[in-house]
Amino acid sequence: MNDTGSVTIEAALALSSLVLVGALMVSGLVTLADYIAAVDAAGAAARAHAIGIEYTPPRGTVDIAHDGELVRAVAKVPSPLGTMEAEAVYPAEKP
């Protein structure tokens, strides 16, 4: 049996697997950071809208809705593993 080159193939498969796992780990961390950014944007938008200030998120979009005396903000931020969405509710300020 001729095993010439089998070590090279095994090394290539092992290294490509490690690169794939590393890329998935980095994508997961970036997605987590994007979720935190969505939570921050939703909270900031709800607070700003509750006191009457216009808010533009640095990334993604924010949808504002009034629910009685509450301001509800839903932020959507794109990320490598899908769109991260977060919601925040803040009481509206009375004039």
Side-chain angles (χ1 to χ4, degrees):
M1 178 147 98
N2 186 4
D3 289 339
T4 304
S6 65
V7 173
T8 305
I9 292 172
E10 289 171 0
L13 289 174
L15 286 176
S16 63
S17 297
L18 287 175
V19 168
L20 180 64
V21 168
L24 287 174
M25 289 174 62
V26 169
S27 294
L29 288 174
V30 171
T31 299
L32 180 63
D34 288 337
Y35 176 72
I36 292 171
V39 169
D40 183 49
R47 284 189 304 271
H49 201 275
I51 60 174
I53 298 174
E54 188 65 32
Y55 178 78
T56 303
R59 290 181 47 209
T61 60
V62 175
D63 296 322
I64 304 289
H66 288 278
D67 230 1
E69 292 186 5
L70 298 176
V71 175
R72 185 176 308 275
V74 177
K76 296 179 182 177
V77 176
S79 69
L81 299 179
T83 301
M84 296 293 104
E85 187 175 317
E87 180 180 359
V89 179
Y90 202 79
E93 298 267 332
K94 296 183 181 177

